[in-house]
Amino acid sequence: MTGGLDLPAAGGVPPRRPSRRLEISFEAFHEFHARKWLEYARLHTGDALGAEKLTQAVYQQLADHWAHVLLQPSVDSYAWTVFKEHIAEWFLNNGRSTAAAQTAALTAVARVLLRKYGQQLALLDDRTGPRGGMSRLPERQCDVVVLRFVIGYSEDRIGALLNVDATVVRSHARHAKRRIVAELGGARGPYEEG
């Protein structure tokens, strides 16, 4: 994966070997995100092989331009944008709608919340189903709840990926939970907190 860290040099000069530090920093980035981004892609595409190819293409693009990536104000946010662009391209190339992908991802969120809160959310699948209010969450709220409750990122890491403060992440999560509760007819419970 790190063999692609060679960047074309200006003026036709052959590319230099990347520094070992570049390789190490990319390897660390890849190691930290690889499993989680693969799961995110799998949830959204519904295709394990497609998700694997998609994430490999993302990491190859990032590796090929890693020196440039490191110059960005936020490496995580820049890389996440590249990742989301690859996902959008996958949907376009495969004739799939992003709404269907969001529904699949939010179904996984519902399962996690059901395990966590048990009977308090037992009505979730019956009342919202795949076409309920959860599928109409704004993209940022959807990303936050998927990244937090299914993928397992911390609020700080989600903030770094989305280039927002952790308080904004908490706000998105809170609004998404309220929307889910509203779909349940205003039921209240601990899942509505924070």
Side-chain angles (χ1 to χ4, degrees):
M1 183 68 53
T2 59
L5 283 175
D6 290 333
L7 296 174
V13 177
R16 295 181 309 172
R17 249 335 259 154
S19 76
R20 183 65 184 136
R21 287 184 183 158
L22 278 178
E23 288 179 2
I24 290 170
S25 69
F26 178 77
E27 288 168 4
F29 176 88
H30 179 265
E31 179 70 24
F32 184 81
H33 293 290
R35 184 186 57 77
K36 293 177 180 184
W37 287 18
L38 179 60
E39 177 64 10
Y40 184 95
R42 190 192 61 74
L43 282 170
H44 284 75
T45 64
D47 177 353
L49 182 59
E52 190 170 323
K53 288 179 180 179
L54 186 152
T55 54
Q56 285 174 352
V58 170
Y59 288 119
Q60 189 61 59
Q61 180 179 341
L62 292 172
D64 288 346
H65 304 284
W66 192 243
H68 171 75
V69 173
L70 291 176
L71 296 174
Q72 303 309 305
S74 169
V75 170
D76 280 341
S77 178
Y78 182 86
W80 182 255
T81 300
V82 170
F83 181 50
K84 292 287 282 195
E85 288 170 355
H86 276 262
I87 289 176
E89 184 178 329
W90 187 92
F91 287 127
L92 186 64
N93 292 340
N94 289 280
R96 300 268 306 275
S97 79
T98 55
Q102 185 175 3
T103 298
L106 288 170
T107 299
V109 170
R111 276 189 241 115
V112 169
L113 292 176
L114 257 161
R115 278 195 306 271
K116 186 172 181 179
Y117 298 113
Q119 293 300 92
Q120 295 169 339
L121 286 177
L123 296 176
L124 188 61
D125 287 329
D126 294 340
R127 291 172 113 185
T128 62
R131 296 189 192 344
M134 285 179 58
S135 65
R136 293 187 300 266
L137 286 176
E139 182 179 0
R140 278 290 174 107
Q141 287 181 14
C142 179
D143 275 348
V144 166
V145 295
V146 170
L147 291 170
R148 182 72 183 108
F149 296 110
V150 178
I151 306 300
Y153 275 120
S154 70
E155 291 170 347
D156 288 335
R157 181 58 66 176
I158 296 168
L161 292 172
L162 302 181
N163 201 26
V164 297
D165 192 81
T167 58
V168 174
V169 171
R170 283 189 290 279
S171 176
H172 282 315
R174 189 170 43 257
H175 284 96
K177 289 177 191 177
R178 284 184 183 150
R179 189 168 197 155
I180 293 166
V181 168
E183 286 296 316
L184 294 172
R188 297 228 178 265
Y191 49 87
E192 191 177 17
E193 297 170 4

